[in-house]
Amino acid sequence: MTLIQSRDNAFFKLLKKLAESGRERRKQGLTLLDGAHLVRAYEAAIGPVERLVVAETALKSPEIAALTAGRAPTLLSDALMRELGLVDTPSGVLALIPLSPTAPTVDLAADAVLLDGVQDPGNVGTLLRTAAAAGVRQVWLSPGCAAAWSPKVLRAGQGAHFVLDIVEDADLMRCVAEYRGQVAVTCLDGATSLYEAVWQGPLAWVFGAEGLGVSPALIAAADHRIKIPMPGAVESLNVGAAAAVCLFEALRRRLG
């Protein structure tokens, strides 16, 4: 196994660029997974990662030792692993994978989640994870959303990426116009309570940017304007929490 200790090493410089730059990820066609859980999830759903990178002392971990058994990972000094800055507390193992490793498909007659300008990577990852947990198989992201395959979004998604069809830079107005089910947006003006709203068939949920909400054009194009009743002392929910409430209410009805 090769041990890299210098920040002048060419491979470390590549890792640093991939960790920090969406442009570099697009140029190289690569991104980074952080953590043994994500590596196992990727390999279970898609196949072997291109390359494993392990912090020097992380091999003492039974989990990481088991993950690297029979492989020849690249070793980074602990200081260099921290310098990559993917998370405050590095997991000790990274993997290189292709950027968007599978070609997404679009099914305009199946349930979907549409994200309108959601910029926070943690929120985008949480929304992908929630969609996957609720049984939704496709998510369409407008321009202006955080890059779905960035390391921070991948970490927040906790493996959801590998079971979803994710379309980035989607024209959401066109998606809504062509969608063969019903479209629901979360908003306040003229909205019906989530628990009183009636819908049938496939449903596409539109969730909007933090603070701004769904764009007026998408609200106007939707079949349903939905609000979540909040009798407590706060007036709004984080977009990830709001999506979880809506998606699992829809799931409850379907299962019921």
Side-chain angles (χ1 to χ4, degrees), residues 63-131:
E63 180 182 35
I64 293 178
L67 183 68
T68 58
R71 311 196 206 200
T74 298
L75 295 183
L76 282 186
S77 70
D78 291 358
L80 290 184
M81 184 66 84
R82 288 192 297 270
E83 192 171 320
L84 291 177
L86 287 178
V87 292
D88 292 337
T89 305
S91 67
V93 60
L94 302 175
L96 273 73
I97 64 166
L99 191 65
S100 190
T102 57
T105 60
V106 173
D107 185 348
L108 293 170
D111 291 344
V113 167
L114 285 62
L115 304 185
D116 183 20
V118 181
Q119 298 177 341
D120 181 79
N123 282 342
V124 172
T126 296
L127 287 158
L128 294 174
R129 186 178 183 183
T130 302

Side-chain angles (χ1 to χ4, degrees), residues 53-210:
V53 182
V54 180
E56 185 176 7
T57 61
L59 286 175
K60 297 176 182 178
S61 160
E63 180 182 35
I64 293 178
L67 183 68
T68 58
R71 311 196 206 200
T74 298
L75 295 183
L76 282 186
S77 70
D78 291 358
L80 290 184
M81 184 66 84
R82 288 192 297 270
E83 192 171 320
L84 291 177
L86 287 178
V87 292
D88 292 337
T89 305
S91 67
V93 60
L94 302 175
L96 273 73
I97 64 166
L99 191 65
S100 190
T102 57
T105 60
V106 173
D107 185 348
L108 293 170
D111 291 344
V113 167
L114 285 62
L115 304 185
D116 183 20
V118 181
Q119 298 177 341
D120 181 79
N123 282 342
V124 172
T126 296
L127 287 158
L128 294 174
R129 186 178 183 183
T130 302
V136 178
R137 293 300 306 271
Q138 53 187 350
V139 180
W140 307 328
L141 288 74
S142 75
C145 285
W149 294 90
S150 70
K152 289 183 179 179
V153 175
L154 279 158
R155 186 170 178 86
Q158 287 292 294
H161 290 70
F162 315 137
V163 296
L164 291 170
D165 286 311
I166 300 170
V167 179
E168 296 191 90
D169 296 322
D171 181 343
L172 297 191
M173 285 299 298
R174 180 177 178 181
C175 292
V176 167
E178 296 179 353
Y179 189 65
R180 296 197 292 275
Q182 295 184 309
V183 176
V185 300
T186 52
C187 63
L188 294 177
D189 294 340
T192 301
S193 165
L194 171 66
Y195 305 114
E196 297 174 357
V198 178
W199 58 75
Q200 294 180 340
L203 192 62
W205 285 95
V206 186
F207 300 107
E210 303 86 352

